[in-house]
């Protein structure tokens, strides 16, 4: 029978793991068999640089921790050797990095098992789909590029208004060429004002004889 100290240590391990699982936006379970020491070191470094916590966990402890974290559906995958990769802020990194290692190494034994996303257990197919998504930086750059053209056009229009001192948009202005042509055109002679008719002469009466 395990001693009280050992039981307390297991309880603490379950509580700590459950807390990490609950605070992670995504996680992936893997069967880590067949990986060499050197490859394992490189993989752990890559995961760590991506802010992903990767640990080999006993299935008994992982079972209790997942149940406490509301991820009890992962129980059916807790057979054989199991490692878990968890990310606090990236939904795709763990799946992408682990799947990338499998593709590069062409391992027949190191395999993805299942995963979770935003507190919900997801299937192996979904994990593999996440692995194919680009990085968050690439996604953000794509979104920014999508808005780049209209933003640039709007910025140019606003700058044109500023340069004109708040005048109307360029489309409503008279071009420099039009202004010059108007200035150079000979001025039309003003229409002649018709002469006023002279008032009729007043006859002076002849003096009486």
């Amino acid at each position: 029978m395990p001693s009280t100290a050992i039981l307390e240590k297991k309880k603490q391990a379950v509580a700590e793991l459950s807390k990490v699982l609950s605070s992670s936006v995504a996680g992936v379970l893997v069967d880590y068999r067949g990986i060499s020491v050197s490859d394992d070191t490189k993989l752990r470094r890559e995961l760590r640089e991506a802010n992903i916590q990767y640990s080999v966990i006993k299935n008994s402890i992982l079972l209790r921790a997942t149940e406490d974290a509301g991820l009890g559906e992962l129980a059916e995958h807790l057979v054989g050797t199991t490692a878990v990769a968890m990310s606090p802020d990236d939904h795709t990194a763990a799946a992408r990095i682990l799947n990338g290692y499998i593709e590069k190494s062409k391992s027949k034994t190191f395999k993805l098992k299942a995963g979770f996303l935003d507190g919900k257990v997801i299937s192996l197919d979904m994990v593999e789909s996440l692995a194919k998504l680009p990085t968050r930086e690439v996604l953000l750059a794509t979104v920014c590029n999508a808005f780049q053209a209209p933003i640039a056009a709007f910025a140019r229009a606003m700058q044109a208004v500023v340069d004109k001192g708040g005048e109307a948009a360029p489309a409503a202005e008279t071009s420099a060429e039009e202004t010059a042509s108007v200035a150079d055109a000979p001025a039309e002679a003003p229409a002649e004002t018709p002469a006023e008719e002279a008032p009729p002469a007043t006859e002076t009466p002849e003096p009486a004889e």
Side-chain angles (χ1 to χ4, degrees):
M1 183 175 180
S3 66
T4 303
I6 294 176
L7 290 175
E8 287 298 322
K9 188 175 182 179
K10 287 184 177 181
K11 287 182 180 180
Q12 183 178 357
V14 169
E16 291 177 353
L17 181 56
S18 176
K19 183 177 180 180
V20 176
L21 288 167
S22 298
S23 61
S24 298
V25 297
V28 178
L29 300 183
V30 298
D31 183 338
Y32 62 87
R33 289 178 300 162
I35 189 170
S36 66
V37 174
S38 59
D39 284 349
D40 183 68
T41 300
K42 293 177 182 178
L43 180 60
R44 287 175 181 269
R45 182 185 303 115
E46 185 176 0
L47 290 167
R48 185 168 55 252
E49 289 174 352
N51 195 30
I52 297 170
Q53 181 173 327
Y54 177 80
S55 304
V56 173
I57 308 291
K58 288 184 177 181
N59 288 328
S60 58
I61 292 178
L62 190 52
L63 174 62
R64 294 177 182 177
T66 54
E67 289 176 346
D68 291 348
L71 301 169
E73 294 177 38
L74 289 173
E76 62 179 293
H77 304 287
L78 301 180
V79 293
T81 60
T82 307
V84 58
M86 301 166 286
S87 175
D89 54 13
D90 195 315
H91 292 78
T92 64
R96 185 174 59 254
I97 293 173
L98 292 170
N99 191 66
Y101 166 75
I102 294 173
E103 292 181 345
K104 290 178 182 178
S105 65
K106 298 181 180 180
S107 175
K108 302 295 185 181
T109 53
F110 190 102
K111 299 178 180 179
L112 303 176
K113 290 186 175 184
F116 65 90
L117 189 69
D118 290 330
K120 302 294 182 181
V121 174
I122 58 176
S123 65
L124 176 58
D125 290 341
M126 181 64 73
V127 174
E128 292 175 342
S129 296
L130 288 175
K132 297 176 183 178
L133 292 177
T135 64
R136 180 171 53 185
E137 289 73 17
V138 172
L139 287 173
L140 290 175
T142 301
V143 172
C144 289
N145 288 335
F147 287 101
Q148 187 66 29
I151 289 177
F154 177 76
R156 287 194 296 270
M158 291 300 97
Q159 188 60 48
V161 173
V162 173
D163 293 343
K164 294 295 183 179
E167 295 178 7
E173 296 176 353
T174 302
S175 66
E177 291 80 4
E178 291 174 337
T179 302
S181 62
V182 171
D184 295 338
E188 296 182 2
E192 294 183 0
T193 304
E196 296 182 0
E197 296 182 359
T202 303
E203 294 182 0
T204 305
E206 294 181 1
E209 293 182 356

